[in-house]
Amino acid sequence: PAYVLRWRDAAHDNASGVIDPERIETVAELPYQLHVDHPEGIELWPEGGAGALLIIYDAPALERTNADTSTVRADVICPS
């Protein structure tokens, strides 16, 4: 499985070592298939609304591709 995780207050954290699990939050579970659709890139995507993420994949599944137009479909995830 593939997940987007949030490490709360990481930017202001000077600690090193083990992180309290309560500071790690699962934001989203991402699509994943054997040998295809491996989440590879992530970007904040304001066009999708507050907190939306654009997810692109390494080895996209056939249903994500269009050979006629040489395009690949990505996902926009809107975590709750």
Side-chain angles (χ1 to χ4, degrees):
Y3 299 93
V4 175
L5 303 175
R6 178 179 294 130
W7 176 357
R8 284 185 264 123
D9 300 320
H12 306 288
D13 196 347
N14 293 326
S16 63
V18 177
I19 303 304
D20 183 351
E22 292 181 7
R23 295 182 58 203
I24 306 298
E25 172 187 354
T26 300
V27 174
E29 183 173 355
L30 302 176
Y32 181 89
Q33 298 179 48
L34 187 61
H35 305 299
V36 296
D37 271 0
H38 303 151
E40 181 73 17
I42 185 170
E43 176 70 29
L44 290 174
W45 198 254
E47 293 89 344
L53 304 170
L54 176 71
I55 309 295
I56 58 172
Y57 298 87
D58 178 19
L62 287 177
E63 56 267 18
R64 290 189 181 282
T65 62
N66 183 328
D68 295 335
T69 60
S70 298
T71 58
V72 176
R73 184 175 51 82
D75 286 332
V76 174
I77 306 283
C78 300
S80 51

